[in-house]
Amino acid sequence: MCGIVAYIGKKQAYPIILKGLKRLEYRGYDSAGIALLHDNQINLYKRQGKVANLEEFAANKDLNGTSGIGHTRWATHGAPNDVNAHPHYSTDGNLALIHNGIIENYDTLRKELILHGYVFKSETDTEVLVHLIDDIQKNEHVSIAEAVRLALLNVVGAYAIVVISKENPNQLIAARKSSPLVVGIGGEGDFYLASDATPIVEYTKRVVYLEDEEIAIVDLNDGLKIFNINNQEKTPYIQQLELQLEALEKGGYEHFMLKEIHEQPRSIRDCFRGRMNADEGWVSLGGIKEYEQKMINAQRIVMVACGTSWHACLVGEYLFEDLARINVEVEYASEFRYRNPIINENDIVIAVSQSGETADTMAALELAKSKGATILGICNVVGSSISRITDAGSYTHAGPEIGVASTKAFTAQVTVLTLMAVSLAHKKGTISETKFHTMLAELEAIPEKVKMVLEKNDIIEKIALEYKDATNALYLGRGSSFPVALEGALKLKEISYIHAEGYPAAEMKHGPIALIDEEMPVFVIATKGTSYEKVVSNIQEVKARKGKIIAIVTEGDETVKEIADHVIEIPDTDEHLVPILATIPFQLLSYHIAVMRGCNVDQPRNLAKSVTVE
Ligand code: F6R
């Protein structure tokens, strides 16, 4: 939530920051702002709404300056308006600041600062920071960098900040705690700072990911210096970015979401590349190899996540239990940490997160770690906070996901969880050699089968046209298709704003069936497998009440075709792999419905991709 970007060097800062803000817009789009330092003056421009509004507003203004900071906001404290937009100025205009995170003790700090004579313009928690730094600097006669450090010692909460000041025009000061911040080291003695590497990759591949409670000073004369909050200098650990610029572009698609849906044959293949070979008959997840025996011996594994990633965990639970016979509990990260859960050193907690920055998931992991559990991660974003605090883990390698609604990250998470389950099951001996080899062969065939599902796009678009004006929808599935139903409903809700609910098919008769009438579309996963007949009965129950059935079926199915209003065929596969295939028609369906309803597919209202507040 909230994206920050900054530049200092010899180039004009404005175009770099503006482009960076567009790349970070997925983190929030309630307002955007930029502060540029030029001729001993900080020029500040901010606007409610998207970065495009800011760009239009700033068009005729003085945009000079080789140093600047920019922010795109997802509102927490205070309405999304011009005044609450970042950057925030000190009263005398000598310094300006951008912030991603939440200052939890802002009210106390604000009251103290008011007593010191400060007048607040905005309703934000962030404005306390800028006045606090100013207050400390003036009263204690210290440098801005030292004032930042002392101010942060007084702060409770999460922050990634960058401070620009007239006093030190050659310097930017940045710090982080629980919100991400990357420093890019340019080739001309220049520096880039951002919430993630996407605004930086175009200019340099050399980056440093700041750790919690670190302060970075980038200085045109002295270079990059990093200190911890106790003022001890640290040696920057410079990493090489592997991110490719093309991955951040739409590549000819109308929306990032559509591009990402179509990338799935590739992203799934990238996910298992080098980790298994069906012909040679092996699977190996290097990242967690050392922990496999512990996982096999564990009395239980707890999976924690939020949203779509939580749905992937539910599929994971089914896979781990059915294949490897390992007891799994899936927890909403946000609930887990506030429930005083029983965790000990024998437990393994796996966090699943696309961004690797979700605050609730981070907090759940920290809690598990404090109780001595082994913590593992499945993340997409390389170098993200979760990937860094975990003992070990596996990346999903899906590539940057920019559409706010998660698509390819979900199928990649399920693929990693499948690889883990198959590997553990094989080592533990809970599946036969034949099953092991079939699973690997089926997995290897999945990217081609995903392609075949994507070819159903026209059929799915026609169905979308028929149901685009629905006000409610039900999604039903059983076994590992139940999480697919939940995920289908979430996709529809979040991008098309149609109320939708996912249910285990058999639960329908315990309540939701009351909702069914001729207006209600019911999306059902009715593929061949253990519960097929039962699901067919559920379909009959819906039809008996005149509901509309849109069923995902196995290719060649004739039974459901006769009862359902529409069927979408998917290729036959091992039952354990159905979630990967069955989720794709739902992604396309939500996409088309959202487009037809004129919704902003890539940036749905009120949402942000990386939820770094609890
Ligand atoms: C839905 C969606 C969210 C995220 C959730 C967790 O399409 O994207 O529900 O899945 O906010 O995010 P990560 O996976 O980054 O932890």
Side-chain angles (χ1 to χ4, degrees):
M1 329 229 101
C2 300
I4 63 177
V5 56
Y7 172 77
I8 185 162
K10 297 195 183 88
K11 297 184 253 200
Q12 284 297 311
Y14 178 73
I16 296 170
I17 295 172
L18 192 77
K19 201 179 218 182
L21 288 180
K22 287 183 180 165
R23 294 241 160 90
L24 291 179
E25 208 167 28
Y26 73 88
R27 301 178 69 90
Y29 26 85
D30 286 333
S31 63
I34 288 189
L36 298 163
L37 183 60
H38 181 57
D39 275 350
N40 200 31
Q41 184 68 32
I42 297 177
N43 293 318
L44 198 152
Y45 310 113
K46 40 194 205 172
R47 259 315 175 249
Q48 180 180 346
K50 303 211 170 207
V51 178
N53 290 7
L54 169 71
E55 190 175 10
E56 203 183 303
F57 171 71
N60 312 317
K61 313 272 188 310
D62 177 4
L63 298 174
N64 285 306
T66 54
S67 166
I69 58 178
H71 186 273
T72 175
R73 177 169 186 243
W74 185 83
T76 57
H77 296 60
N81 57 28
D82 294 350
V83 177
N84 289 331
H86 300 216
H88 290 283
Y89 257 147
S90 60
T91 312
D92 56 12
N94 281 341
L95 47 107
L97 173 147
I98 45 175
H99 168 225
N100 167 31
I102 286 189
I103 308 302
E104 287 170 15
N105 59 338
Y106 85 100
D107 197 37
T108 320
L109 294 172
R110 188 181 164 108
K111 284 179 183 141
E112 279 170 25
L113 287 161
I114 289 171
L115 287 178
H116 293 195
Y118 283 89
V119 177
F120 282 78
K121 293 195 191 100
S122 76
E123 304 152 286
T124 64
D125 53 334
T126 301
E127 201 182 348
V128 301
L129 269 181
V130 75
H131 294 319
L132 185 61
I133 294 167
D134 182 67
D135 191 39
I136 292 175
Q137 204 223 348
K138 291 201 167 119
N139 287 318
E140 311 216 2
H141 309 290
V142 290
S143 67
I144 304 271
E146 179 60 1
V148 168
R149 189 182 76 82
L150 295 174
L152 293 177
L153 285 172
N154 288 292
V155 159
V156 179
Y159 55 79
I161 58 164
V162 185
V163 181
I164 190 168
S165 73
K166 284 205 246 177
E167 189 180 304
N168 287 335
N170 289 335
Q171 229 178 49
L172 292 176
I173 299 147
R176 73 152 273 182
K177 185 182 174 199
S178 304
S179 294
L181 195 55
V182 191
V183 184
I185 305 168
E188 302 164 20
D190 51 353
F191 295 96
Y192 304 80
L193 295 125
S195 298
D196 70 30
T198 58
I200 298 175
V201 63
E202 195 167 337
Y203 311 102
T204 177
K205 298 247 167 184
R206 299 176 72 223
V207 296
V208 176
Y209 290 92
L210 285 195
E211 299 289 340
D212 264 356
E213 300 201 313
E214 281 186 350
I215 298 168
I217 303 175
V218 290
D219 189 300
L220 292 179
N221 302 319
D222 291 346
L224 167 67
K225 292 220 158 82
I226 296 182
F227 300 87
N228 68 15
I229 198 90
N230 300 319
N231 222 6
Q232 287 155 330
E233 190 162 353
K234 298 179 82 180
T235 312
Y237 170 54
I238 301 172
Q239 297 188 39
Q240 202 67 21
L241 277 181
E242 280 175 21
L243 189 67
Q244 299 303 325
L245 196 55
E246 307 81 74
L248 307 175
E249 321 264 309
K250 282 192 198 147
Y253 287 93
E254 206 177 325
H255 297 100
F256 279 111
M257 183 181 178
L258 190 61
K259 176 189 173 220
E260 286 155 10
I261 291 172
H262 281 277
E263 272 176 349
Q264 289 175 107
R266 198 256 327 133
S267 55
I268 294 170
R269 200 181 291 287
D270 284 351
C271 182
F272 62 63
R273 192 190 303 282
R275 290 170 162 174
M276 61 166 243
N277 188 311
D279 292 336
E280 293 168 14
W282 58 264
V283 53
S284 174
L285 282 151
I288 55 144
K289 219 177 163 96
E290 264 181 65
Y291 291 86
E292 278 193 331
Q293 201 51 48
K294 191 158 186 198
M295 288 167 92
I296 288 170
N297 297 340
Q299 280 200 321
R300 62 163 188 173
I301 292 177
V302 182
M303 295 186 185
V304 291
C306 304
T308 289
S309 300
W310 184 78
H311 298 153
C313 291
L314 292 178
V315 180
E317 175 182 31
Y318 175 87
L319 294 165
F320 275 51
E321 294 197 349
D322 196 45
L323 295 171
R325 311 301 298 145
I326 298 173
N327 180 14
V328 171
E329 282 168 27
V330 178
E331 300 268 3
Y332 279 118
S334 53
E335 289 299 311
F336 178 76
R337 67 164 305 208
Y338 285 110
R339 221 195 43 230
N340 192 15
I342 302 159
I343 299 278
N344 58 49
E345 309 80 71
N346 298 324
D347 285 324
I348 294 183
V349 176
I350 305 180
V352 179
S353 173
Q354 188 286 128
S355 62
E357 302 294 347
T358 301
D360 286 322
T361 312
M362 274 289 283
L365 273 185
E366 275 158 8
L367 176 72
K369 193 175 187 167
S370 73
K371 304 219 176 220
T374 299
I375 56 169
L376 306 178
I378 298 177
C379 295
N380 192 36
V381 177
V382 176
S384 54
S385 302
I386 291 177
S387 67
R388 282 180 299 127
I389 70 156
T390 40
D391 297 313
S394 297
Y395 282 118
T396 46
H397 298 308
E401 191 181 65
I402 293 164
V404 163
S406 194
T407 52
K408 64 174 179 171
F410 174 76
T411 46
Q413 289 165 344
V414 173
T415 305
V416 170
L417 287 162
T418 310
L419 289 171
M420 278 186 185
V422 171
S423 173
L424 294 171
H426 189 230
K427 291 216 165 57
K428 199 174 166 188
T430 47
I431 51 171
S432 66
E433 279 300 309
T434 319
K435 175 76 182 173
F436 175 64
H437 289 283
T438 334
M439 283 293 297
L440 294 188
E442 284 294 337
L443 250 174
E444 214 159 70
I446 279 289
E448 272 314 304
K449 292 185 180 178
V450 169
K451 256 190 210 159
M452 291 157 76
V453 182
L454 291 169
E455 282 161 14
K456 308 276 171 180
N457 181 58
D458 292 353
I459 300 173
I460 296 169
E461 198 172 349
K462 277 198 194 116
I463 298 174
L465 192 62
E466 200 157 319
Y467 297 100
K468 70 174 178 25
D469 297 318
T471 44
N472 294 291
L474 262 186
Y475 284 73
L476 305 177
R478 291 193 77 150
S480 60
S481 290
F482 163 52
V484 177
L486 291 175
E487 176 58 10
L490 178 62
K491 286 291 91 90
L492 189 69
K493 281 187 262 217
E494 67 181 336
I495 63 166
S496 71
Y497 319 139
I498 295 175
H499 168 242
E501 287 189 58
Y503 264 95
E507 273 294 303
M508 189 189 54
K509 56 187 172 295
H510 298 287
I513 198 162
L515 293 169
I516 292 178
D517 59 18
E518 57 276 16
E519 303 291 315
M520 175 72 99
V522 182
F523 300 91
V524 191
I525 302 120
T527 47
K528 289 274 160 58
T530 329
S531 318
Y532 175 72
E533 278 79 18
K534 297 268 190 293
V535 174
V536 172
S537 306
N538 298 139
I539 292 176
Q540 300 276 21
E541 288 155 16
V542 172
K543 282 315 299 172
R545 284 148 188 94
K546 298 197 168 61
K548 299 279 185 293
I549 288 284
I550 304 95
I552 295 180
V553 298
T554 313
E555 228 159 41
D557 183 302
E558 290 301 329
T559 317
V560 178
K561 204 179 264 177
E562 285 200 357
I563 341 167
D565 297 270
H566 311 269
V567 293
I568 304 164
E569 290 182 305
I570 62 170
D572 193 13
T573 185
D574 185 282
E575 202 178 343
H576 295 95
L577 302 179
V578 166
I580 301 179
L581 297 184
T583 206
I584 288 161
F586 289 158
Q587 296 171 347
L588 282 170
L589 193 94
S590 307
Y591 171 79
H592 288 303
I593 290 182
V595 170
M596 288 167 191
R597 289 167 69 98
C599 301
N600 187 335
V601 173
D602 283 335
Q603 294 174 343
R605 70 183 179 207
N606 306 338
L607 289 176
K609 184 124 193 99
S610 189
V611 187
T612 55
V613 294
E614 287 172 41

